Amino acid sequence: MDGTLLDHDKRLPDSTKRAINELKRAGHEVAIATGRGPFMFEWLRDELGIDSFVSYNGQYVVRGGEVVATNPIKRELLDRLTEEAARNGHPIVYMSSETMKSNTDGHERIEKSITELKVKLPEHDPEFYIGQEIYQCLLFCTYGEEGIYKDAFRGELDFIRWHQFSTDVLPLGGSKAAGIEAFIRHAGVRREDVYAFGDALNDIEMLQYVGNGIAMGNAIDSVKAAAKYVTRDVDDDGIRYGLRMVGLL
């Protein structure tokens, strides 16, 4: 979503909105695949008239307004993650399908990274994960510090960095690719007929999985290497150009 549907200022380009409307009129099914939770991009779904999405990097999947797949983090792992993060002085944000809450109040790393997404900061509730289905966590540590957790939770959780101060925490094997697999199984669509755009580390498996992976011009090199096509920068009508390049418009 960020750097793909939304430009570098977190705005929806007019050319992208027009292109998606043209796709829908042509009979194509359009869905959003993102690391964000559903409550974090409801405004965008309303703006684009889209009621299908793969959220939380594949852990919460909705098609036509119906939840078709979920993959929450096990409670025992959340307990251990919380304990390990406390020992290391690293805050956590727990994310459900409806909201997110932090176990630390007013931490500068949380404020810095979440503010850049232009969404509301999480409220403080250290026990929020108890009794909730948690699909993703945000672990606030700097580059290299996530290695502590990768070692401690090897074979149990995945850690994917999305910000200099924050890393996504996912169930083992959780990815946008897995979410898309569940989505197209429900839709009865072949992966060869699926097109996906991406620009970040959490897009690599998705671009490799679908039949037609398209990297944005602003994508990092490893993402471009994983894609079948490379389009223009998001600020240079990248979505519309890419759709024309592959023959969908």
Side-chain angles (χ1 to χ4, degrees), residues 18-224:
R18 292 196 303 271
I20 289 174
N21 285 334
E22 288 179 37
L23 275 179
K24 292 193 296 182
R25 285 196 296 270
H28 299 294
E29 186 168 2
V30 183
I32 296 172
T34 179
R36 296 192 186 208
F39 58 93
M40 301 172 74
F41 61 101
E42 185 175 3
W43 69 271
L44 183 60
R45 302 199 304 275
D46 291 342
E47 180 79 8
L48 294 173
I50 293 175
D51 58 2
S52 296
F53 55 88
V54 173
S55 64
Y56 284 142
N57 290 303
Q59 313 320 303
Y60 193 84
V61 181
V62 172
R63 179 172 181 251
E66 175 190 355
V67 178
V68 298
T70 61
N71 185 30
I73 301 175
K74 294 178 181 178
R75 167 65 189 281
E76 180 266 336
L77 293 176
L78 290 170
D79 286 335
R80 286 172 48 205
L81 178 67
T82 299
E83 292 170 2
E84 183 69 28
R87 281 194 291 271
N88 297 311
H90 295 149
I92 296 176
V93 167
Y94 308 102
M95 311 182 83
S96 73
S97 63
E98 297 182 352
T99 190
M100 59 182 175
K101 300 288 180 70
S102 169
N103 71 345
T104 305
D105 194 17
H107 197 282
E108 61 180 357
R109 288 181 181 175
I110 296 176
E111 293 179 359
K112 172 66 174 174
S113 54
I114 298 295
T115 298
E116 290 182 10
L117 295 176
K118 296 190 176 180
V119 298
K120 184 180 178 181
L121 289 172
E123 296 178 356
H124 177 222
D125 184 355
E127 296 185 349
F128 176 68
Y129 74 94
I130 300 173
Q132 297 279 339
E133 296 286 350
I134 301 299
Y135 297 99
Q136 180 171 282
C137 295
L138 303 180
L139 174 66
F140 293 85
C141 59
T142 57
Y143 287 107
E145 292 180 324
E146 68 268 26
I148 300 170
Y149 302 92
K150 288 182 177 180
D151 289 340
F153 293 91
R154 191 174 304 280
E156 297 178 299
L157 292 172
D158 284 335
F159 299 84
I160 303 175
R161 182 162 293 279
W162 67 275
H163 189 275
Q164 62 175 324
F165 295 142
S166 186
T167 296
D168 290 334
V169 183
L170 302 170
L172 184 68
S175 67
K176 290 182 182 178
I180 290 173
E181 181 180 20
F183 186 99
I184 65 174
R185 189 186 315 119
H186 184 270
V189 176
R190 302 182 308 164
R191 61 191 284 188
E192 292 82 5
D193 297 325
V194 178
Y195 296 74
F197 288 80
D199 73 303
L201 290 174
N202 63 346
D203 295 319
I204 290 177
E205 289 180 325
M206 171 185 73
L207 295 178
Q208 292 172 330
Y209 173 76
V210 301
N212 303 275
I214 307 163
M216 302 300 291
N218 47 281
I220 58 178
D221 289 343
S222 58
V223 175
K224 291 179 179 177

